[in-house]
Amino acid sequence: MCCQGCRAAAEWISQLGLDDYYRLRSTVAPRAPDPALARRSADAWQRPELSRHAVRTLGSGQCEALLLVDGIRCAACVWLIERALGAVAGVLSVQVNAVAQRARIVWDPRRTTLAAILQALARTGYGALPLDAAALDDVRRREAHGALKRLAVAGFGAMQAMMYASALYLGAAQAMDGATRELMRWLGLLVATPVVFYAAQPFFQGAWRALRARTLGMDVPVALAIALIYVASLMQALQGGGEVYFDSVSMFVFFLLAGRYLEMRARHRAGNLADAMARLVPAFADRYGKGGTLERVGVPELVPGDRVHVAQGMRVPADGVLDSADCRVDEALLSGESAPLRKRCGDALTGGSMVIEGPAILRVQCVGADTALAGISALVARAQSERPRLARAGERAAAGFVLRTLALAALCAVGWSFFDPTRAFAATLAVLVVSCPCAFALAVPAAITRALAVLATQGVFVVHSNAVENLALASHAVFDKTGTLTDEHLELEAVDATDREPALMLAAALARGSRHPVAQALVRAASSLAVETASDVRTVQGGGLAGTVAGHAYRLGSPAFALGTAQDDRDAVVLAGEHGLIAAFSFNERLRPGAREAVAALLASGVEVEIVSGDAAAKVERVATRLGISQWRARQSPAAKLGRLRELRAGGSRVLAVGDGINDAPVLAGADVAVALASGAELTQAAGDVILDGTRLAALPEARAIARETLTVLRQNQRWALGYNLAVVPIAALGFVPPWLAAIGMSLSSLVVVLNALRIGRRTTAAPVPVPAGVDLGHVA
């Protein structure tokens, strides 16, 4: 059973006499980790050399640890974990974050241990990996928490200040009495003060840093406008006359904070790379001691020269060489090869890969930062650092805008000081309020936020807001093959036998209990047939399956295994009986649903499409031919993929990269826009700008259409904001626009921007795209 809940359900089904239900299943259920193995893993954390990295001692003598928990799916999981750990004697606090899949535990070391906590969590069916104690001081978490609090304060203040301001505006037309008007002023001051001194603190800090560095950033005019509007309104409130603008300053701060919060969320998403890496590398390894006995140690304790036992289904803890008999290893994270690779004694094994058929004995050669997986992480980090172009352009534009705004305000103040000094402050304040970059600052977040919401309804989740622009402007699409354009399952293509159905039934009977991709393909192909039950089925490492059906012995696997000879040159899986060959089966990769439509739509829109895969050349060529893709590259390592991407970008292409494997993470991180599949590896999603939910690749061209519409609306918003400023600023500088009217105009300008952004997605439809001539709509042969 995979967990206690499934065990209870299975017992209930058995008690009702419905055991025959399990005969209908077509695949073997995943098994839960061995309880003995879980206990050994938990006990290993008793060792001080391991626990000191994961446990932090608080000043009160309590201990604290951060766990990365696998299997959290919903709020019920959070409830179960909190109740299960809360019942452990000595546990003082349990805080579970379902989104980050982390749990923060505080306990009394005199009453319980980290090992006991991990054992209690394992009994509930959840695996946990203690993270380094440095993760407890997560800067991202503190920044997000502070930003959310400031946004909430600004939002509440803006709503309340607008309510009081509305009473003042309406009361002026209806002759509101003086006492009520003064009350509205002081209430507006009450709610706007925490907005200015707390929520707007980042703008003042940013402006101060910019001035100390002798540069001009967007924070300078923002902080100046906030300070002037608040001070002027405060003076008017104290004097009991004139207009107050507490609503304007509160709304101004709220809008800008909302935009910055969106940017922060996108920035933090890239930091999930560390969690994805932590899930790929096992926490422990079974190392051979001097007497040949196995001892469980932490992976950081391994040194070159150690011999490690890796059980079947477990991940290799470090880089090294195979020091035992043959085994089969899934190294798709590096090579992109769709099928497990056979390793012989002396062949290299890569840390993070999984032993499919084993066990295996690893002689460690590289650990820590020297492993290939760490190298991939370094490639991702380096590629992500190569994205400063848009940031530099934005800083230059902001500096120019700020300089012009301040110069215009200063010119207005100087001009009025000569003609009418009493009106200088009001006119200058009106110019600053009108020319404040509120509509400019809102133009991008409003359009991007609407686009993100529309895309999310279609199963497209944008992680980095810059990806919307790059997706719309992409001129070259680079696809991975395995798991991206093709389905993760194999499909039976042909059966070479005298009688097809009996041969397929015999093969499916032997394959029913295996999780090998070929065996599962046979079982699916025979789902409509009355398959008998095989007995004495055993797996022969490197060969295939052997068993008995209806009293006769059969073998299913490679020709050498099934036929007992290495001379047969058939490149297929064969079924042999007591009298020789019965049938030969050939398989193919199945195109992912929507792959044909997605490629056709991209080609029709003028985007050049290319496949860059780590798989064999013959397989890549077949997929490219069926999809009508003329450019393809095979046997590409992560570094080679990143090199190809840089070559395209150097030629002026705006590159869209699509992948799902860990080996795709570097090229995704270095692309102009990276699209990862939600079914893919977590490391790939951490490097992705856009995540496609499910398996529908056809959503990609639909997302590009919405992105292009977003750019159109965004430019309209920016032109509107610029046109509004050009039209109103001269009038305000001449003194015809009082500050209160300037504040209303600024708010209305922002409202127009928001309403225009809401049009995104209302008219965008995914029209059927004609498939280019010569493209086979069938499966890949």
Side-chain angles (χ1 to χ4, degrees):
M1 300 300 168
C2 61
C3 66
Q4 296 298 325
C6 288
R7 178 174 180 174
E11 292 175 350
W12 180 62
I13 290 174
S14 177
Q15 292 170 3
L16 294 177
L18 301 176
D19 303 82
D20 194 53
Y21 162 81
Y22 290 102
R23 185 181 62 82
L24 303 177
R25 67 182 180 186
S26 59
T27 59
V28 180
R31 295 185 179 274
D34 184 3
L37 184 63
R39 285 193 297 270
R40 289 170 56 197
S41 299
D43 292 340
W45 287 100
Q46 297 277 21
R47 302 169 56 195
E49 55 267 29
L50 280 182
S51 61
R52 65 186 176 88
H53 294 291
V55 178
R56 182 172 67 178
T57 302
L58 304 178
S60 57
Q62 301 169 351
C63 290
E64 183 181 25
L66 188 65
L67 308 181
L68 189 61
V69 184
D70 286 328
I72 297 181
R73 297 290 181 266
C74 60
C77 297
V78 175
W79 179 88
L80 179 59
I81 292 173
E82 290 179 345
R83 295 302 184 276
L85 296 185
V88 177
V91 173
L92 305 177
S93 174
V94 180
Q95 298 177 353
V96 181
N97 186 330
V99 177
Q101 293 192 335
R102 293 186 176 195
R104 185 183 303 269
I105 316 297
V106 179
W107 71 92
D108 185 349
R110 295 168 297 183
R111 301 178 60 192
T112 190
T113 63
L114 177 60
I117 294 173
L118 293 177
Q119 288 178 351
L121 193 58
R123 285 194 295 269
T124 64
Y126 298 93
L129 172 64
L131 296 177
D132 192 272
L136 291 165
D137 298 320
D138 193 345
V139 178
R140 292 179 298 155
R141 180 181 60 84
R142 293 202 305 271
E143 183 185 8
H145 187 61
L148 193 59
K149 288 196 299 184
R150 288 188 173 90
L151 185 62
V153 170
F156 176 79
M159 289 188 295
Q160 293 299 112
M162 177 55 71
M163 182 178 67
Y164 301 137
S166 299
L168 285 174
Y169 298 149
L170 297 176
Q174 299 176 6
M176 178 186 292
D177 63 274
T180 304
R181 180 171 300 180
E182 289 302 314
L183 176 62
M184 294 296 105
R185 293 171 182 269
W186 285 104
L187 289 176
L189 172 64
L190 180 65
V191 297
T193 297
V195 173
V196 173
F197 287 94
Y198 175 70
Q201 188 178 21
F203 302 114
F204 292 109
Q205 293 174 343
W208 176 245
R209 285 193 298 266
L211 294 176
R212 290 183 60 185
R214 298 181 180 180
T215 61
L216 291 177
M218 286 292 284
D219 286 337
V220 174
V222 169
L224 182 60
I226 293 173
L228 288 178
I229 295 173
Y230 180 79
V231 171
S233 300
L234 178 61
M235 293 175 59
Q236 297 291 355
L238 293 175
Q239 294 174 2
E243 302 294 337
V244 294
Y245 316 106
F246 297 121
D247 57 323
S248 300
V249 70
S250 300
M251 286 191 302
F252 186 43
V253 173
F254 173 71
F255 285 141
L256 292 179
L257 285 178
R260 293 199 173 187
Y261 184 76
L262 292 175
E263 296 175 2
M264 179 204 66
R265 289 291 301 271
R267 211 174 54 242
H268 287 180
R269 181 61 177 80
N272 292 342
L273 174 64
D275 287 359
M277 288 288 295
R279 285 188 172 94
L280 289 174
V281 181
F284 302 100
D286 293 326
R287 182 175 62 187
Y288 284 97
K290 294 182 179 180
T293 59
L294 289 177
E295 58 175 346
R296 173 141 293 208
V297 299
V299 169
E301 297 180 80
L302 296 178
V303 296
D306 285 345
R307 297 177 75 246
V308 177
H309 175 84
V310 185
Q312 180 172 313
M314 302 301 291
R315 293 193 178 273
V316 179
D319 288 359
V321 296
L322 182 62
D323 200 19
S324 62
D326 295 0
C327 67
R328 294 176 68 86
V329 178
D330 181 3
E331 285 190 349
L333 75 167
L334 285 177
S335 66
E337 180 69 47
S338 55
L341 301 177
R342 176 163 301 285
K343 297 290 184 177
R344 294 178 173 80
C345 185
D347 288 349
L349 295 179
T350 305
S353 56
M354 179 176 291
V355 176
I356 302 299
E357 294 180 4
I361 297 177
L362 168 74
R363 184 174 295 277
V364 178
Q365 289 184 331
C366 300
V367 295
D370 298 327
T371 62
L373 192 58
I376 291 182
S377 178
L379 282 175
V380 172
R382 187 175 66 184
Q384 286 178 337
S385 67
E386 296 175 354
R387 296 189 178 195
R389 180 173 53 85
L390 290 178
R392 289 199 302 266
E395 290 172 1
R396 289 194 298 267
F401 179 81
V402 169
L403 184 61
R404 289 189 293 270
T405 298
L406 296 179
L408 183 61
L411 183 62
C412 179
V414 172
W416 277 106
S417 65
F418 286 104
F419 292 100
D420 189 354
T422 60
R423 300 179 60 186
F425 181 79
T428 303
L429 183 60
V431 169
L432 271 177
V433 172
V434 166
S435 62
C436 266
C438 187
F440 280 108
L442 194 60
V444 175
I448 295 297
T449 302
R450 171 62 181 177
L452 299 187
V454 173
L455 290 172
T457 61
Q458 300 188 10
V460 180
F461 302 98
V462 178
V463 178
H464 298 286
S465 56
N466 287 337
V468 175
E469 177 187 7
N470 291 328
L471 181 61
L473 300 178
S475 60
H476 203 110
V478 176
F479 282 86
D480 174 51
K481 180 188 72 69
T482 305
T484 302
L485 292 174
T486 61
D487 196 89
E488 59 183 356
H489 301 295
L490 295 176
E491 184 177 55
L492 180 62
E493 178 188 6
V495 180
D496 184 4
T498 304
D499 198 342
R500 182 183 186 278
E501 287 194 1
L504 184 57
M505 291 168 57
L506 289 173
L510 293 175
R512 177 179 286 175
S514 174
R515 302 197 66 188
H516 194 281
V518 170
Q520 293 180 356
L522 287 170
V523 173
R524 285 194 298 270
S527 59
S528 61
L529 303 177
V531 179
E532 296 187 45
T533 302
S535 59
D536 300 327
V537 179
R538 64 187 186 280
T539 301
V540 178
Q541 183 175 341
L545 301 169
T548 303
V549 180
H552 298 281
Y554 297 95
R555 288 191 172 196
L556 176 69
S558 65
F561 165 71
L563 300 174
T565 174
Q567 303 302 319
D568 195 290
D569 60 354
R570 295 174 180 266
D571 185 19
V573 174
V574 301
L575 173 67
E578 298 167 346
H579 302 292
L581 179 66
I582 298 176
F585 305 93
S586 57
F587 301 86
N588 61 38
E589 291 180 281
R590 199 167 53 182
L591 286 181
R592 182 180 288 274
R596 299 186 303 273
E597 292 81 358
V599 171
L602 292 174
L603 290 172
S605 63
V607 177
E608 297 184 30
V609 180
E610 178 177 347
I611 298 178
V612 179
S613 174
D615 213 339
K619 297 180 180 180
V620 178
E621 183 179 14
R622 285 198 297 267
V623 173
T625 301
R626 292 297 187 263
L627 291 175
I629 300 175
S630 59
Q631 302 181 61
W632 55 270
R633 292 171 180 245
R635 295 297 186 188
Q636 299 290 294
S637 66
K641 291 183 177 183
L642 188 56
R644 174 57 180 164
L645 182 141
R646 288 172 175 164
E647 179 183 340
L648 291 172
R649 296 183 70 185
S653 297
R654 187 71 68 94
V655 181
L656 159 68
V658 188
D660 81 320
I662 299 169
N663 59 307
D664 302 319
V667 69
L668 291 183
D672 291 291
V673 57
V675 179
L677 302 183
S679 58
E682 291 187 34
L683 182 60
T684 306
Q685 296 182 28
D689 299 315
V690 179
I691 307 296
L692 293 184
D693 188 22
T695 60
R696 200 172 67 93
L697 273 180
L700 181 58
E702 298 172 9
R704 188 168 181 270
I706 293 175
R708 297 183 62 157
E709 184 185 9
T710 301
L711 283 192
T712 301
V713 171
L714 191 149
R715 294 190 186 101
Q716 292 173 352
N717 286 346
Q718 291 177 330
R719 285 195 293 266
W720 159 257
L722 179 62
Y724 168 79
N725 278 5
L726 292 177
V728 179
V729 167
I731 302 176
L734 293 175
F736 296 115
V737 179
W740 66 267
L741 184 58
I744 294 178
M746 182 189 67
S747 301
L748 291 177
S749 176
S750 301
L751 181 61
V752 170
V753 167
V754 173
L755 293 177
N756 190 44
L758 292 178
R759 297 191 303 110
I760 296 176
R762 295 187 182 277
R763 294 178 298 176
T764 303
T765 57
V769 178
V771 180
V775 177
D776 186 357
L777 297 183
H779 294 303
V780 179

